[in-house]
Amino acid sequence: MKRLTGILLLLCLALAAVSCKGSGEERSHVLKIYNWADYIDEDVLAEFPDWYKQQTGEDIRLVYQVFDINEIMLTKIERGHEDFDVVCPSEYIIERMLKKDLLLPIDRNFGKTPDYLPNISPYIRRELNKTSQPGRTTTDYAVPYMWGTAGILYNRSFITPDEAGSWHCLWNSKNKGKLLMKDSYRDAYGTAIIYAHARQLADSTVTVEQLMNDNSPEAIALAEKYLKALKPNISGWEADFGKEMMTKNKTWLNLTWSGDAVWAIDEAEAVGVDLAYEVPREGSNIWYDGWVIPKYARNPKAASYFINYLCQPEIALRNMDAIGYVSAVATPEIMEAKRDTSIETRSDLSYFFGEGMGADSLQINPVQYPDRKIVERCAMIRDFGDRTELVLEMWSRVKGDNLNTGIVLLIFSVFGALFVWLVYGKIRKYRQKQRHRRRRKGRPAI
């Protein structure tokens, strides 16, 4: 019997080994992609397997999933060891993943395929490399994908460009109940801390970069104070519906990202609503998303090819047209395609496209491509590290106290009535039991 059991066990192990081998071979022909929702042209995605077959002679099948919060994506990889091959986190999560040794370097050995990674803007490469760790350069592990600014989307019928040119308009009591805020603790924190130091910024005694990356207890308390003071003006915290609310004249102001602003402005124009976008003069943050290969990826080769595929100018243009955000790819083809002679103002984009390319005076959408002067008063928010929890606790306190007095009184009234009803019910039951006992005591014995 023991011998038979041993034989069966060996057979099971052999079958398991064969199964694992087959699974491994099958997985080598699968590319698992984890990206933000609505953050790539669907046709660009669908065409990748054919392109990959042309470059490598190999078949590939795509498994595509989406996320809506950086931290959820990170938790799946860090704690769940999810084997996504390529993901698209924001700059501070890329920094955190590097710190935690959760990334593989991108393999740029593309064989006969050209290396398109040098198409990335030198400005964005420099900015992203500020997140480099000792012995690790960020751009060896991450390739910038899209970028943009945080600013104010506003309705010209109610807000003037001069008003939108300062963060003060968010705190102005005349805009009570007409403001939508991105449900993003980092953008809210950066905005509050910048506005709190508007005078010092004007006097050049402090920089935007210093302020937004100050997560001391004093800075966190100051941000909390200013965000709570802002709450009477807030109509809601939004992740994606803000642009639609603005196009329907429901609100006047929206602290949002430039890509959402581009979409909203175009949609609003079609229905006769005049929206515009400003990066306030006090300064703001510039954000970057990039493609990385997680530590537990099972197909890093296909992941590297996918990243390279997205860096082609024609692919970058198609993605921009589909999603409204701005690609980090900076080539003459991109510059010419985005030039718009109907725009009166000219922007200096030589910082982005490079010197000597004729980009110092471009007629181009300033929402998508901010002028050098705007970029110079903005900065990237770094990873808060161990201080993240303290900032999140502050954010919870700010959002948790987001009920007006009337609603609070109503809630207390409902709970008060419920409490009285429960107490009354208990008293009734107690009295009924007492009456029942008295009746039983009064019965004659049989």
Side-chain angles (χ1 to χ4, degrees), residues 33-47:
I33 304 168
Y34 204 23
N35 191 17
W36 300 90
D38 303 319
Y39 211 40
I40 194 170
D41 183 279
E42 291 182 2
D43 291 334
V44 162
L45 193 63
E47 291 167 16

Side-chain angles (χ1 to χ4, degrees), residues 44 46-58 60 110 113-114 116 302 304-310 312 314-315:
V44 162
E47 291 167 16
F48 175 71
D50 286 340
W51 183 87
Y52 185 73
K53 179 75 176 282
Q54 292 171 8
Q55 309 306 313
T56 66
E58 300 172 7
I60 197 76
F110 298 118
T113 307
Y116 298 108
S304 297
Y305 269 86
F306 180 74
I307 294 170
N308 192 39
Y309 167 74
L310 295 177
Q312 298 173 87
E314 65 272 21
I315 297 296

Side-chain angles (χ1 to χ4, degrees), residues 148-156 161 164-165 167 254-262 265 274-280 284-285 287 365-368 370 374 378:
T149 57
I152 298 173
L153 178 67
Y154 64 101
N155 191 317
R156 286 177 177 267
W167 289 119
N254 186 194
L255 171 60
T256 191
W257 303 310
S258 50
D260 281 1
V262 170
I265 290 169
D274 189 9
L275 299 183
Y277 176 82
E278 291 284 343
V279 176
S284 186
N285 68 296
W287 54 265
N365 187 337
V367 178
Q368 291 186 310
I374 293 175
C378 296

Side-chain angles (χ1 to χ4, degrees), residues 117-282:
L117 272 57
N119 288 339
I120 300 298
S121 166
Y123 161 75
I124 295 184
R125 284 202 301 267
R126 285 194 303 271
E127 286 296 303
L128 202 57
N129 277 334
K130 290 179 180 179
T131 66
S132 296
Q133 302 302 305
R136 294 176 181 175
T137 302
T138 300
T139 49
D140 289 339
Y141 295 82
V143 173
Y145 179 52
M146 298 286 165
W147 71 293
T149 57
I152 298 173
L153 178 67
Y154 64 101
N155 191 317
R156 286 177 177 267
S157 299
F158 306 101
I159 305 293
T160 67
D162 185 63
E163 287 174 315
S166 170
W167 289 119
H168 174 70
C169 68
L170 303 189
W171 277 265
N172 191 329
S173 59
K174 85 163 195 173
N175 299 319
K176 184 176 181 179
K178 296 300 181 181
L179 167 64
L180 286 170
M181 289 281 288
K182 272 290 178 212
D183 191 0
S184 165
Y185 73 93
R186 288 167 60 81
D187 293 288
Y189 182 87
T191 298
I193 212 73
I194 287 172
Y195 180 61
H197 292 86
R199 187 178 297 278
Q200 294 93 319
L201 285 166
D203 294 339
S204 299
T205 56
V206 70
T207 66
V208 168
E209 187 166 18
Q210 290 171 334
L211 289 173
M212 290 194 304
N213 292 293
D214 178 2
N215 43 54
S216 64
E218 295 79 12
I220 294 172
L222 186 62
E224 182 173 356
K225 173 186 173 183
Y226 272 78
L227 288 172
K228 284 184 173 178
L230 178 63
K231 289 176 63 178
N233 288 1
I234 298 176
S235 172
W237 310 91
E238 60 95 5
D240 193 49
F241 66 82
K243 50 186 182 285
E244 293 184 10
M245 294 284 286
M246 291 291 290
T247 61
K248 295 176 181 177
N249 265 334
K250 300 289 185 180
T251 50
W252 302 341
L253 292 162
N254 186 194
L255 171 60
T256 191
W257 303 310
S258 50
D260 281 1
V262 170
W263 185 93
I265 290 169
D266 288 344
E267 291 293 311
E269 185 179 4
V271 294
V273 177
D274 189 9
L275 299 183
Y277 176 82
E278 291 284 343
V279 176
R281 50 183 168 269
E282 294 92 350

